[in-house]
Amino acid sequence: MTTPIRLGTRRSALAQAQSGHVATALERVTGRPVQLVPITSEGDTNRASLSEIGGQGIFATRLREALLSGECDFLVHSLKDLPTAIPAGLVIAATPPREDARDVVLTRDGIPLHELRSGSTVGTGAPRRIAQVRRRSPHAEVIDIRGNVDSRLARVTSGELDAVVLAAAGLSRLDARSPLRREELGLAEWPTAPGQGSLAVETTEDAPAELRAALAALDHGPTRLAITVERAILEGLDAGCQAPMAAHAVVEGTSVRVRTVVYSADGDRRIGLDVTEDLNGEYIRRNGSGNGADAADGADPVHAARELGLTVARRLLDQGAADLVSREHLSS
């Protein structure tokens, strides 16, 4: 009998749905069964506001402890919830193709977010979304909420809230059906969290070579480059993954375009950049990925992507971004 590969996942319906997609893909690669191992994280039991408890590892720490202790063989995370610092002994072995990275507003009657009447209630728990709602619909009241997708949708259906803001990728992975009306928010005007729509497949550095190779087969190069740029901006700002900032990168060939914005908590102020770079040998030579012909011919494009993200973060800081990222959102 073939020994199952054990996949550690949070217990939420969304986490298990997205882990199930990865499990199916890995079963096709290896011909071995993949067994889901549900693990309860702090984020699943602590119902306080994300803006109060912070996002640094709240959904990942317990899963990583389980992986390092041998309770499972690999993990699947929502990448936007993952701190930029990877613990010693662990490695992101794959980033599968990204789902829709946009946010979606759901309402009963289809009124666009910017047209909601004064006093309308909009539910979201993320500081970045709170700031964006306050910019887009300044007369609405933002309600800080937690809970799974179904419970959030139910609060609009019941009339308790007039709208909620959710990730399009989560709705897609859950195949969530609802009578509510959807408004997709364009990434040019409403960029989302670094890594939104992406998954991170994580294992140990000393995992069997066969497993590492199988997981690597799930990796999608353009997704990895894009999320590397986005997360390097977050890292360079020295901000936690619940900071009121957004970054979205698009890769076409060797070219990367990244739109990034840092918001004040009230949404009144913002600092943004829209940058396009070609991650070829010339960029690598200019940004310290190596030297001479080796830099042009054989340098790691992921390294160049990270350097681009860090450069963008420095430009944001030079323009005053540190004044907008409040101290409670800074990483320790």
Side-chain angles (χ1 to χ4, degrees):
M1 180 177 178
T2 303
T3 304
I5 304 171
R6 300 166 301 162
L7 192 172
T9 177
R10 290 172 55 205
R11 293 179 179 273
S12 73
L14 176 56
Q16 296 210 36
Q18 61 196 24
S19 292
H21 291 307
V22 174
T24 299
L26 187 61
E27 287 175 341
R28 285 198 296 264
V29 171
T30 64
R32 293 174 59 186
V34 176
Q35 172 189 350
L36 297 189
V37 179
I39 299 166
T40 301
S41 72
E42 181 188 354
D44 297 313
T45 57
N46 189 332
R47 307 316 300 168
S49 165
L50 289 178
S51 61
E52 294 176 1
I53 57 181
Q56 285 292 294
I58 185 171
F59 296 113
T61 300
R62 173 67 189 100
L63 274 71
R64 285 170 158 173
E65 290 172 351
L67 178 59
L68 288 168
S69 68
E71 296 175 44
C72 55
D73 301 307
F74 72 105
L75 304 170
V76 172
H77 305 278
S78 290
L79 189 60
K80 69 182 179 64
D81 296 327
L82 207 58
T84 55
I86 306 299
L90 299 182
V91 62
I92 295 180
T95 52
R98 188 180 212 160
E99 280 271 5
D100 190 341
R102 293 176 296 179
D103 276 345
V104 176
V105 178
L106 294 111
T107 59
R108 289 182 300 280
D109 48 20
I111 297 175
L113 180 61
H114 70 280
E115 294 181 6
L116 289 176
R117 66 187 182 280
S118 180
S120 296
T121 52
V122 181
T124 180
R128 184 262 309 169
R129 287 178 179 149
I130 291 171
Q132 289 174 315
V133 170
R134 286 172 173 163
R135 286 188 65 84
R136 180 72 65 93
S137 188
H139 302 297
E141 179 185 359
V142 180
I143 306 298
D144 194 341
I145 62 171
R146 293 283 308 276
N148 60 34
V149 169
D150 286 342
S151 69
R152 297 187 192 204
L153 296 176
R155 294 176 73 170
V156 178
T157 303
S158 70
E160 180 184 349
L161 297 172
D162 294 302
V164 290
V165 185
L166 297 172
L171 294 170
S172 174
R173 289 180 178 129
L174 280 171
D175 194 22
R177 305 299 174 90
S178 170
L180 298 177
R181 305 285 293 277
R182 292 171 57 124
E183 176 192 1
E184 278 88 8
L185 300 171
L187 289 164
E189 301 80 22
W190 187 286
T192 50
Q196 182 157 314
S198 300
L199 300 177
V201 180
E202 189 172 46
T203 191
T204 57
E205 290 181 341
D206 60 357
E210 180 183 4
L211 176 60
R212 289 284 299 272
L215 295 176
L218 306 182
D219 196 58
H220 183 245
T223 295
R224 183 176 282 268
L225 286 177
I227 63 94
T228 297
V229 174
E230 295 164 14
R231 284 168 57 78
I233 296 171
L234 187 64
E235 176 188 352
L237 291 174
D238 192 27
C241 50
Q242 290 299 322
M245 63 82 64
H248 180 71
V250 176
V251 176
E252 294 184 359
T254 61
S255 179
V256 179
R257 180 177 184 177
V258 57
R259 297 180 178 91
T260 183
V261 182
V262 179
Y263 301 91
S264 62
D266 58 12
D268 285 346
R269 294 177 295 157
R270 53 169 276 170
I271 295 172
L273 288 173
D274 188 337
V275 176
T276 301
E277 280 284 359
D278 192 10
L279 298 185
N280 57 17
E282 177 58 30
Y283 180 84
I284 293 168
R285 280 196 297 272
R286 286 189 282 114
N287 290 275
S289 179
N291 53 58
D294 289 341
D297 298 334
D300 181 2
V302 174
H303 179 91
R306 182 171 181 272
E307 290 297 317
L308 172 58
L310 294 174
T311 298
V312 170
R314 286 192 292 270
R315 290 179 58 185
L316 289 168
L317 291 171
D318 288 344
Q319 294 182 30
D323 295 332
L324 302 189
V325 182
S326 56
R327 297 308 302 177
E328 64 263 28
H329 295 306
L330 292 180
S331 59
S332 58

